[in-house]
Coordinates of all heavy atoms in Angstrom, one line a residue:
K83 N -10.4 -17.8 -17.3 CA -9.0 -17.6 -16.9 C -8.8 -17.8 -15.4 O -7.8 -18.4 -15.0 CB -8.6 -16.2 -17.3 CG -7.1 -15.8 -17.0 CD -6.2 -16.7 -17.8 CE -4.7 -16.3 -17.6 NZ -3.8 -17.1 -18.3
L84 N -9.8 -17.3 -14.7 CA -9.7 -17.5 -13.2 C -9.8 -19.0 -12.9 O -9.0 -19.5 -12.0 CB -10.8 -16.8 -12.5 CG -10.9 -16.9 -11.0 CD1 -9.6 -16.5 -10.3 CD2 -12.1 -16.2 -10.4
F85 N -10.6 -19.7 -13.6 CA -10.7 -21.2 -13.4 C -9.4 -21.9 -13.7 O -8.9 -22.7 -12.9 CB -11.8 -21.7 -14.3 CG -11.8 -23.2 -14.3 CD1 -12.1 -24.0 -13.2 CD2 -11.6 -23.9 -15.5 CE1 -12.1 -25.4 -13.3 CE2 -11.6 -25.3 -15.6 CZ -11.9 -26.0 -14.5
E86 N -8.7 -21.5 -14.8 CA -7.4 -22.0 -15.1 C -6.4 -21.8 -14.1 O -5.6 -22.6 -13.7 CB -7.0 -21.5 -16.5 CG -7.8 -21.9 -17.7 CD -7.4 -21.1 -18.9 OE1 -6.4 -20.4 -18.9 OE2 -8.1 -21.3 -20.0
L87 N -6.4 -20.6 -13.5 CA -5.5 -20.2 -12.5 C -5.6 -20.9 -11.2 O -4.7 -21.2 -10.5 CB -5.5 -18.7 -12.2 CG -5.0 -17.7 -13.3 CD1 -5.4 -16.3 -12.9 CD2 -3.5 -17.8 -13.4
R88 N -6.9 -21.3 -10.9 CA -7.2 -21.8 -9.5 C -7.8 -23.2 -9.5 O -8.1 -23.7 -8.4 CB -8.3 -20.9 -8.9 CG -7.9 -19.4 -8.7 CD -6.6 -19.3 -7.8 NE -6.9 -19.7 -6.4 CZ -6.0 -19.9 -5.5 NH1 -4.7 -19.6 -5.8 NH2 -6.3 -20.3 -4.3
Q89 N -7.9 -23.9 -10.7 CA -8.4 -25.2 -10.7 C -7.6 -26.2 -9.9 O -8.1 -27.1 -9.2 CB -8.7 -25.7 -12.1 CG -7.4 -25.9 -12.9 CD -7.7 -26.4 -14.3 OE1 -8.7 -27.2 -14.5 NE2 -7.0 -25.9 -15.3
A90 N -6.3 -26.0 -9.9 CA -5.4 -26.9 -9.1 C -5.7 -26.8 -7.6 O -5.3 -27.7 -6.8 CB -3.9 -26.6 -9.4
K91 N -6.3 -25.6 -7.2 CA -6.6 -25.4 -5.8 C -8.0 -25.8 -5.5 O -8.5 -25.6 -4.4 CB -6.4 -23.9 -5.4 CG -5.0 -23.4 -5.6 CD -4.0 -24.1 -4.5 CE -2.6 -23.5 -4.6 NZ -1.7 -24.1 -3.6
G92 N -8.7 -26.4 -6.5 CA -10.0 -26.9 -6.2 C -11.2 -26.1 -6.7 O -12.3 -26.4 -6.5
M93 N -10.9 -24.9 -7.3 CA -12.0 -24.0 -7.8 C -12.6 -24.6 -9.0 O -12.0 -25.1 -9.9 CB -11.4 -22.7 -8.1 CG -12.5 -21.7 -8.6 SD -11.8 -20.0 -8.9 CE -11.5 -19.5 -7.2
T94 N -14.0 -24.6 -9.0 CA -14.7 -25.1 -10.2 C -15.0 -23.9 -11.1 O -14.9 -22.7 -10.7 CB -16.1 -25.7 -9.7 OG1 -16.9 -24.6 -9.2 CG2 -15.9 -26.8 -8.7
L95 N -15.4 -24.2 -12.3 CA -15.8 -23.1 -13.3 C -17.0 -22.3 -12.8 O -17.0 -21.1 -12.9 CB -16.1 -23.7 -14.7 CG -16.4 -22.7 -15.8 CD1 -15.3 -21.7 -16.0 CD2 -16.7 -23.5 -17.1
E96 N -17.9 -23.0 -12.2 CA -19.1 -22.3 -11.6 C -18.7 -21.3 -10.5 O -19.2 -20.2 -10.5 CB -20.1 -23.3 -11.1 CG -21.4 -22.7 -10.5 CD -22.3 -23.7 -10.0 OE1 -22.0 -24.9 -9.9 OE2 -23.5 -23.3 -9.6
Q97 N -17.8 -21.7 -9.7 CA -17.3 -20.8 -8.6 C -16.6 -19.6 -9.2 O -16.8 -18.5 -8.8 CB -16.4 -21.6 -7.7 CG -17.0 -22.6 -6.8 CD -16.1 -23.4 -6.0 OE1 -15.0 -23.8 -6.5 NE2 -16.4 -23.8 -4.8
A98 N -15.8 -19.9 -10.3 CA -15.1 -18.8 -10.9 C -16.1 -17.8 -11.6 O -15.9 -16.6 -11.5 CB -14.1 -19.4 -12.0
E99 N -17.1 -18.3 -12.2 CA -18.1 -17.5 -12.8 C -18.8 -16.6 -11.8 O -19.1 -15.4 -12.0 CB -19.1 -18.3 -13.6 CG -18.6 -18.9 -14.8 CD -19.5 -20.0 -15.5 OE1 -20.4 -20.4 -14.8 OE2 -19.3 -20.3 -16.6
N100 N -19.1 -17.1 -10.6 CA -19.7 -16.3 -9.5 C -18.7 -15.3 -9.0 O -19.1 -14.1 -8.7 CB -20.1 -17.3 -8.4 CG -21.3 -18.1 -8.7 OD1 -22.2 -17.6 -9.5 ND2 -21.5 -19.3 -8.1
L101 N -17.4 -15.7 -8.8 CA -16.4 -14.7 -8.3 C -16.2 -13.5 -9.2 O -16.0 -12.4 -8.8 CB -15.1 -15.4 -8.0 CG -15.1 -16.3 -6.7 CD1 -13.8 -17.1 -6.7 CD2 -15.3 -15.5 -5.5
I102 N -16.3 -13.8 -10.5 CA -16.0 -12.7 -11.5 C -17.2 -11.7 -11.4 O -17.0 -10.5 -11.9 CB -15.8 -13.3 -12.9 CG1 -14.5 -14.0 -13.0 CG2 -15.9 -12.2 -14.0 CD1 -13.3 -13.0 -12.7
N103 N -18.3 -12.0 -10.8 CA -19.3 -11.0 -10.6 C -18.9 -9.9 -9.6 O -19.4 -8.8 -9.5 CB -20.6 -11.6 -10.1 CG -21.3 -12.4 -11.2 OD1 -21.3 -12.0 -12.4 ND2 -22.0 -13.5 -10.8
D104 N -17.9 -10.4 -8.7 CA -17.4 -9.5 -7.7 C -16.4 -8.5 -8.3 O -15.5 -8.8 -9.1 CB -16.7 -10.3 -6.6 CG -16.1 -9.5 -5.5 OD1 -14.9 -9.0 -5.7 OD2 -16.8 -9.3 -4.5

Side-chain angles (χ1 to χ4, degrees):
K83 182 64 176 178
L84 177 59
F85 169 64
E86 291 171 8
L87 289 170
R88 300 298 296 171
Q89 62 180 327
K91 298 292 184 180
M93 184 177 288
T94 66
L95 180 57
E96 183 181 5
Q97 289 172 328
E99 288 171 344
N100 287 331
L101 284 173
I102 287 299
N103 289 327
D104 179 272

